[in-house]
């Protein structure tokens, strides 16, 4: 049996390890704190339509492809883990609070129409009929029936269990360096493997035979809140997005409110200003949230890239080493697609949508960056 070592046990690394194990690889995942990086902090939106931005068509194409594989991925992980992953398909509303928001919604609706994305303009009255928790000042909304969500914490826990069920070994160590056929851990041990997958999120791992910028990721800080609604009347039934905030209801009354986007290096402090702004903006959308119990404020580091596209594919000049990182704002959405792409690169059957992986891999190719493309941020 061929051996693979995945460096980093976030949603991306664990989904990839699970895929490889399903394809018959003998897999180790190296991570001192698996599942506690950005994947633990995230909101869990699976939102290719709401995340569509002008100029980022390739990213939208990846997101839509990922949305196609999500239901099957959720079922496969749940079957191996013996527990569901918390996937739900209740759709997303993008709501306008004032005239400026309403103008921005018009632009968004035009982009959706141009790109053939599924969205529907709602009057304020129809929006409140669909989502009674919306505030009285709502100026209309866009309904995105194909944008779903997953409970990201349940997902990573289910992935750990599913990996264990497939014989994947979780090694609680940090990789000090990777290279062709070998991963060196910071405790002095080493793992020999034909395939090495670098899935260490916002953290760079030295690659023997490649420059510091071979995988030019940088940390993009995000602060997010969690509250608990005890009264069903204040509980939104859909993910509700404003233009600067989103509110995601989960079963059992938990509600996530996110998120800031900050260039602060590896800083993960929670600031009073961010908590204030997120609560204020969420409360303006859904006034009933004022009654919810405050549970948590937390910050995480998205793996950003120079062009906002992920970095998935062979690391140039380093045989047997594959990158699977740089998923920035969409790593939960893109985790199963990334796993399918790495599985195909490793010689497995293509399990993603469409005839083959080539077109999707082209937009994620690590070789697209010129030397020195990274910004040199180090932990
Ligand atoms: C506030 C916030 C909200 C977000 N909301 C969403 C959302 O709604 N939807 C969405 O799709 N995405 C969202 N994201 C983005 C998403 O969380 C990330 O893109 C995704 O989690 C990246 O997954 P990952 O596995 O690459 O990284 P991580 O989850 O960060 O995992 C990387 C792992 O690598 C390990 N590691 C690092 N260095 C080493 C090393 N040297 N050796 C071994 N292990 C190492 C770390 O311990 C960590 O466990 C959000 C992010 C944030 C911060």
């Amino acid at each position: 049996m061929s051996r693979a070592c995945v460096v980093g046990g976030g949603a991306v690394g664990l989904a990839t390890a699970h895929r490889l194990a399903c394809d018959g690889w003998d897999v180790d995942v190296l991570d001192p704190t698996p599942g506690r990086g950005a994947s633990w902090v995230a909101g869990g939106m699976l939102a290719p339509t709401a995340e569509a931005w002008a100029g980022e068509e390739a990213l939208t194409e990846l997101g839509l492809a990922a949305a196609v594989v999500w239901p099957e991925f959720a079922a496969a992980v749940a079957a191996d883990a013996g527990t569901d992953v918390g996937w739900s398909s209740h759709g997303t509303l993008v709501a306008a609070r004032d005239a400026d928001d309403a103008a921005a919604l018009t632009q968004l609706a035009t982009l959706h129409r141009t790109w053939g994305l599924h969205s529907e303009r709602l009057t304020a009255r129809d929006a409140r009929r669909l989502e009674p928790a919306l505030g009285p000042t709502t100026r209309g909304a866009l309904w995105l029936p194909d944008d779903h969500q997953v409970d990201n914490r349940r997902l990573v826990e289910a992935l750990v269990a599913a990996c264990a069920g497939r014989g994947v070994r979780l090694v609680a160590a940090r990789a000090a360096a990777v290279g062709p056929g070998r991963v060196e851990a910071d405790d002095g041990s080493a793992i020999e493997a034909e395939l090495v997958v670098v899935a260490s999120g916002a953290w760079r791992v030295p690659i023997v035979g490649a420059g510091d910028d071979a995988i030019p990721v940088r940390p993009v800080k995000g602060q997010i809140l969690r509250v608990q609604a005890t009264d069903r009347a204040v509980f939104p039934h859909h993910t509700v997005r404003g233009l600067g905030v989103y509110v995601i209801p989960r079963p059992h009354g938990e509600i996530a409110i996110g998120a800031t986007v900050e260039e602060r290096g590896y800083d993960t402090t929670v600031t009073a200003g961010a908590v204030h702004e997120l609560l204020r903006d969420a409360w303006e959308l859904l006034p009933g949230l004022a009654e919810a119990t405050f549970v948590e404020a937390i910050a995480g580091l998205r793996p950003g890239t120079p062009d906002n596209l992920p970095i998935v594919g062979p690391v140039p000049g380093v045989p047997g080493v594959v990158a699977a990182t740089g998923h920035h704002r969409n790593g939960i959405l893109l985790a199963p697609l990334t796993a399918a792409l790495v599985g195909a690169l490793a010689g497995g059957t293509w399990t993603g949508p469409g005839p083959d992986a080539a077109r999707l891999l082209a937009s994620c190719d690590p070789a697209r960056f010129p030397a020195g493309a990274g910004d040199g941020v180090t932990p």
Side-chain angles (χ1 to χ4, degrees):
M1 193 188 273
S2 303
R3 198 162 176 198
C5 181
V6 179
V7 174
V12 172
L14 291 169
T16 302
H18 183 251
R19 174 75 263 146
L20 292 170
C22 290
D23 288 347
W25 288 79
D26 181 27
V27 188
D28 292 284
V29 174
L30 218 70
D31 193 325
T33 52
R36 293 300 184 274
S39 303
W40 188 254
V41 177
M45 290 174 297
L46 309 173
T49 311
E51 290 283 329
W53 300 105
E56 295 195 346
E57 202 161 359
L59 184 57
T60 301
E61 187 182 2
L62 288 170
L64 292 170
V68 171
V69 297
W70 247 98
E72 202 177 318
F73 167 74
V77 173
D80 283 351
T83 166
D84 86 284
V85 303
W87 180 73
S88 58
S89 57
H90 56 38
T92 296
L93 270 171
V94 187
R97 288 169 299 180
D98 54 31
D100 287 348
D101 282 6
L105 273 198
T106 303
Q107 282 183 354
L108 201 57
T110 305
L111 182 76
H112 292 162
R113 226 177 12 258
T114 311
W115 287 1
L117 303 175
H118 193 179
S119 79
E120 191 185 327
R121 194 75 195 246
L122 300 182
T123 62
R125 177 189 292 218
D126 286 344
R128 277 208 299 279
R129 197 171 291 140
L130 188 64
E131 183 51 79
L134 280 172
T137 57
T138 302
R139 297 282 301 260
L142 272 186
W143 168 233
L144 313 180
D146 300 335
D147 277 10
H148 304 315
Q149 66 127 320
V150 67
D151 182 335
N152 47 297
R153 294 185 176 180
R154 270 170 85 165
L155 170 69
V156 289
E157 281 172 352
L159 276 168
V160 166
C163 281
R166 289 271 172 182
V168 173
R169 289 175 297 277
L170 272 182
V171 183
R174 181 171 294 280
V178 305
R182 192 175 163 85
V183 175
E184 287 166 18
D186 63 358
D187 61 5
S189 63
I191 293 176
E192 310 288 335
E194 285 93 324
L195 173 67
V196 175
V197 181
V198 180
S200 48
W203 294 270
R204 293 190 190 189
V205 179
I207 303 177
V208 178
D212 287 350
D213 278 330
I215 305 179
V217 284
R218 71 177 198 286
V220 181
K221 178 178 176 182
Q223 301 189 53
I224 188 168
L225 317 176
R226 283 180 167 77
V227 300
Q228 182 76 27
T230 43
D231 179 356
R232 297 301 294 181
V234 306
F235 190 82
H237 294 89
H238 310 87
T239 295
V240 178
R241 298 174 66 120
L243 294 178
V245 71
Y246 52 77
V247 178
I248 311 166
R250 305 204 198 285
H252 314 302
E254 186 186 274
I255 299 171
I257 301 172
T260 65
V261 180
E262 304 167 63
E263 300 283 351
R264 293 285 165 98
Y266 287 87
D267 166 45
T268 52
T269 50
V270 172
T271 63
V275 174
H276 165 74
E277 282 171 23
L278 289 170
L279 284 177
R280 180 199 60 205
D281 291 353
W283 172 80
E284 282 179 14
L285 277 180
L286 301 157
L289 286 178
E291 303 300 323
T293 308
F294 191 85
V295 177
E296 178 189 64
I298 189 169
L301 301 172
R302 306 175 184 91
T305 65
D307 59 6
N308 289 343
L309 282 161
I311 304 175
V312 181
V315 176
V318 192
V321 178
V322 168
T325 183
H327 297 82
H328 197 214
R329 297 163 62 98
N330 293 296
I332 304 297
L333 169 66
L334 296 174
L337 182 72
T338 302
L341 290 171
V342 176
L345 280 171
T349 307
W350 168 232
T351 54
D356 63 46
R359 183 178 157 81
L360 298 172
L361 278 169
S363 51
C364 310
D365 187 356
R368 71 187 184 275
F369 299 110
D375 59 3
V377 178
T378 48

